Amino acid sequence: RAKELGRKRYQLFDETLARSVVDVLTLEGELRQALKHGQFEPHFQVICRLEDGAVVGYEALIRWNHPQRGLLLPGDFLKIAEDSGLIEAIDWHMFEISCQRLRRQERTDTFMTLNVSALHLRHDNFDARLIELLERTGLPPTRVVVEVTEGALLDDPERVRATLERLRAAGVGAALDDFGTGYSSLSYLHSLPLRILKIDRAFVNELDKGANTSSTTVVAAVLALARALDIDVVAEGIETEIQYAALHAMGCAMGQGYWIGRPAPLEP
Ligand code: C2E
Ligand code: MG
Ligand code: MG
Ligand code: MG
């Protein structure tokens, strides 16, 4: 009996494994097709000034218009796009369309942040290629901010710093995304040429629960640190009026979140 059960379990395991390998290969093939057929598009989430709610910028977020499965979110495909190396081609495609969309807008005083996979930062020519793309699309470099995560710094922080430094010399800003969730090391913060620090929504979420939560302390500390280093702060994932008001009262200058606006196609 035990042997039988054992075999059954083993079989089940085998099937699951087989199915997932097929899934991965299928998805990889679909991602290639999606690139070829222009199924990716950026949605833009508003970044506003908390003082008066004015729109100051946008974060470009990738969406996949899948022909059968509808609109897919990064969580559905980004991991496989990264593992297969396809993310680089997908990102360059996204950067291009995002720049075109922002350029088409009447307003010229907004900025856009682009999420950059850690893989790009291992390449020597990332900054040169981005600058070339901006020249080609006619979007002023000062309107663009690249978002990197703390994870991207783990590999080779010195290389990332040099890349961001060259981008800054060309006018392109840098933001540290999801701040507080990664392997935060305060030591590299001051050496990175950052324009923006993005407080992760995990901390913002907690702000509803009163002034005595540890998140309030963390947010206050991040704001003080950013002020000392002359870096702007964007709070992510603001979902309620209470969170918005709390952040504003604490001196956070900018924010984004469902309460302000959901990611959506950019209206011309
Ligand atoms: P992220 O850069 O931290 O982006 C913020 C995520 O939070 C987005 O999820 C956004 O839709 C979501 N969000 C915004 N406001 C709220 C809110 O009030 N509440 C909640 N619960 N969530 C909110 P999304 O679009 O699913 O993107 C997930 C992640 O995928 C992004 O996290 C980013 O790391 C990555 N990503 C998105 N677009 C791209 C891209 O074009 N290239 C690369 N390499 N990565 C991307
Ligand atoms: Mg981001
Ligand atoms: Mg983030
Ligand atoms: Mg995040």
Side-chain angles (χ1 to χ4, degrees):
R1 236 195 82 121
K3 208 175 160 189
E4 203 176 296
L5 262 179
R7 190 162 50 226
K8 256 194 184 142
R9 278 193 53 178
Y10 198 72
Q11 264 179 9
L12 189 67
F13 176 71
D14 263 349
E15 275 170 22
T16 313
L17 190 67
R19 197 174 323 124
S20 71
V21 169
V22 170
D23 279 352
V24 167
L25 292 176
T26 305
L27 191 57
E28 259 190 58
E30 286 182 348
L31 284 169
R32 272 177 229 280
Q33 288 303 308
L35 248 179
K36 213 163 105 189
H37 296 114
Q39 291 166 9
F40 296 110
E41 68 158 340
H43 278 194
F44 288 76
Q45 185 174 37
V46 159
I47 297 173
C48 85
R49 186 164 62 206
L50 298 185
E51 179 63 36
D52 55 3
V55 174
V56 290
Y58 304 91
E59 176 172 13
L61 295 159
I62 191 167
R63 299 293 181 258
W64 179 3
N65 286 306
H66 192 284
Q68 282 89 41
R69 283 181 280 163
L71 196 71
L72 300 183
L73 298 172
D76 300 323
F77 60 88
L78 215 59
K79 173 85 174 60
I80 286 168
E82 284 187 336
D83 291 349
S84 63
L86 282 167
I87 188 63
E88 298 194 57
I90 294 171
D91 271 353
W92 283 111
H93 178 70
M94 268 287 293
F95 298 161
E96 180 111 24
I97 311 177
S98 302
C99 290
Q100 289 166 358
R101 297 270 159 89
L102 192 72
R103 173 98 159 71
R104 275 213 313 253
Q105 283 219 308
E106 221 163 277
R107 273 184 74 178
T108 54
D109 59 346
T110 52
F111 66 88
M112 166 179 68
T113 70
L114 298 170
N115 289 284
V116 172
S117 165
L119 286 176
H120 293 287
L121 299 163
R122 292 196 202 133
H123 292 226
D124 282 330
N125 62 350
F126 175 76
D127 48 295
R129 193 169 167 188
L130 184 61
I131 292 160
E132 186 271 323
L133 187 153
L134 295 174
E135 274 168 11
R136 188 155 37 80
T137 53
L139 190 68
T142 49
R143 296 187 66 189
V144 174
V145 176
V146 294
E147 293 197 7
V148 300
T149 56
E150 293 166 89
L153 295 163
L154 285 179
D155 259 8
D156 191 348
E158 184 46 39
R159 187 188 199 119
V160 175
R161 195 195 58 76
T163 302
L164 298 183
E165 205 68 73
R166 286 193 297 272
L167 284 171
R168 178 168 70 174
V172 178
L176 196 55
D177 202 0
D178 305 338
F179 186 68
T181 58
Y183 308 83
S184 311
S185 163
L186 297 180
S187 65
Y188 61 59
L189 258 192
H190 74 92
S191 68
L192 286 173
L194 294 175
R195 192 185 296 175
I196 292 173
L197 209 58
K198 300 191 77 172
I199 302 183
D200 192 73
R201 71 162 189 267
F203 303 106
V204 172
N205 229 290
E206 290 272 305
L207 293 178
D208 275 3
K209 294 168 188 160
N212 295 322
T213 61
S214 58
S215 283
T216 307
T217 313
V218 171
V219 171
V222 172
L223 289 170
L225 182 69
R227 207 173 300 124
L229 296 171
D230 199 23
I231 302 173
D232 288 331
V233 174
V234 173
E236 299 192 272
I238 301 175
E239 291 182 349
T240 68
E241 189 171 5
I242 295 173
Q243 291 164 1
Y244 185 109
L247 286 158
H248 178 226
M250 291 168 85
C252 180
M254 293 179 281
Q256 61 185 101
Y258 294 163
W259 196 73
I260 299 162
R262 292 199 173 243
L266 193 64
E267 301 299 334

